[in-house]
Amino acid sequence: MSTERLLRAARRMLHDGGLSGSLLVRDLHTGDELGLDPDTELPAASLVKVPLALATLERIRRGELDGSALLEVEPGRITTPGPTGISRFRHPVRIAVDDLLYLSTSVSDGVAADALFELTPPARVAGILRELGIRGITVRHTMRDLTDTPAERLGSADVHLAHALAIDAGTSGRGHRVPQLDITRANTGTARAFVDLLQALWTPSPVRPGVAARVRALMADNLLRHRLAPDFGSDASTWSSKTGTLLNLRHEAGVVEHADGQVFAVAVLTESRVPASHQPGAEALMAQVARMLHDRLRQM
């Protein structure tokens, strides 16, 4: 099958599975890449926690923050399915900045991320990305703003209504009645922008080696491995990534390092047309299509 036919088949598979989005796979050694609409901008959801970790570690490197400093963090007391870590705690906790980085990035704890955002607000995170030459990722708000969606206001029996609103209330210009899904108000990015970020973390760049190595380690420790990891992790490869989920959005961006030395960055940002919160078929389809593009690049 030619590459053009493979891309058409991949697009058709996503469409038939109720998905669309922004995908890119890049060989980090050669720069060769394959993608589907890699410059389509989408809300970033929890993918923004990688830029947050990078900015926090860069400020620690500069001496502006102390990684061992203890912070008093209020519990999230969130009872709806999904949130992790301190977000589900019932009581306040004292925790070091370094450990908040682990909870925010590897466990995807929104309350831990917001504690880091209090130290480095969104505008400062965005500024540090620009200083490091990383473009295409917009950081506007904290994670707390992501928790006030129709899904949290409706009971579990009516969560499909929140997903229906997410699907139907958008505009042709990617505006949205749900502010977290409006690209003019949300944290946003593209598959290309997140692959560029991964390249800056995995190959020589303005990001200092020690900072990049810590972010890579946090992503390697990612506990959420139900999406792309089944198709990219094995005894002969290492998969390091961050997921992002918000209403009908399902994302993952990561790097697969093969035992033979080949290294590929993969970013899959999708939105679903199916009004359901649990879609294991969509998770598997994301991985299948990303693996198709990866395997073609690996053979080139």
Side-chain angles (χ1 to χ4, degrees):
M1 183 186 297
S2 69
T3 298
E4 292 75 14
R5 287 182 61 193
L6 181 140
L7 292 175
R8 286 197 298 271
R11 188 183 299 278
R12 184 169 57 252
M13 289 169 60
L14 289 172
H15 181 271
D16 291 348
L19 295 177
S20 61
S22 178
L23 292 77
L24 188 67
V25 181
R26 180 183 297 163
D27 185 326
L28 293 185
H29 289 162
T30 67
D32 294 336
E33 59 184 35
L34 287 176
L36 295 173
D37 303 315
D39 298 306
T40 297
E41 188 176 15
L42 289 169
S46 284
L47 292 187
V48 78
K49 292 171 184 172
V50 179
L52 172 62
L54 172 57
T56 302
L57 288 163
E58 174 61 16
R59 293 193 66 207
I60 291 173
R61 184 195 69 78
R62 296 176 184 179
E64 299 172 2
L65 296 175
D66 180 357
S68 66
L70 294 175
L71 302 181
E72 186 89 10
V73 181
E74 291 297 316
R77 298 193 180 97
I78 296 175
T79 58
T80 53
T84 58
I86 303 171
S87 298
R88 305 190 77 85
F89 280 21
R90 296 174 179 268
H91 305 286
V93 61
R94 293 186 75 214
I95 189 165
V97 172
D98 274 333
D99 295 323
L100 287 170
L101 279 165
Y102 168 73
L103 288 174
S104 172
T105 313
S106 304
V107 185
S108 203
D109 179 352
V111 169
D114 277 343
L116 296 176
F117 268 128
E118 288 184 14
L119 298 175
T120 308
R124 186 72 192 281
V125 173
I128 290 174
L129 290 182
R130 290 193 298 271
E131 292 170 21
L132 296 173
I134 298 167
R135 303 283 188 261
I137 297 172
T138 302
V139 186
R140 294 188 175 101
H141 60 75
T142 66
M143 303 309 299
R144 189 175 301 110
D145 297 323
L146 290 181
T147 63
D148 186 23
T149 72
E152 282 68 44
R153 301 178 193 181
L154 296 170
S156 58
D158 294 321
V159 72
H160 65 284
L161 297 176
H163 285 261
L165 177 63
I167 294 163
D168 296 334
T171 70
S172 59
R174 308 202 70 81
H176 208 286
R177 289 172 59 190
V178 177
Q180 294 89 343
L181 300 178
D182 186 334
I183 65 168
T184 68
R185 292 185 280 178
N187 299 325
T188 64
T190 65
R192 187 179 305 282
F194 279 101
V195 164
D196 288 345
L197 170 61
L198 296 172
Q199 181 152 6
L201 295 170
W202 259 263
T203 65
S205 76
V207 180
R208 295 297 182 90
V211 170
R214 181 71 197 288
V215 179
R216 293 196 302 269
L218 290 169
M219 294 179 69
D221 287 338
N222 179 21
L223 295 182
L224 303 178
R225 307 187 70 81
H226 62 292
R227 196 161 283 167
L228 301 190
D231 278 69
F232 285 98
S234 73
D235 288 347
S237 62
T238 300
W239 175 245
S240 307
S241 71
K242 180 73 193 75
T243 59
T245 308
L246 174 66
L247 293 173
N248 66 322
L249 303 180
R250 288 171 177 78
H251 306 333
E252 187 158 357
V255 171
V256 57
E257 301 173 79
H258 295 287
D260 64 5
Q262 287 189 294
V263 183
F264 298 85
V266 182
V268 184
L269 284 63
T270 71
E271 50 188 352
S272 173
R273 300 188 306 277
V274 179
S277 58
H278 298 291
Q279 297 184 45
E283 315 275 3
L285 180 58
M286 290 171 61
Q288 182 182 359
V289 170
R291 185 73 196 208
M292 285 171 57
L293 272 58
H294 162 277
D295 289 353
R296 175 52 56 91
L297 270 182
R298 191 156 155 77
Q299 295 164 5
M300 291 171 64

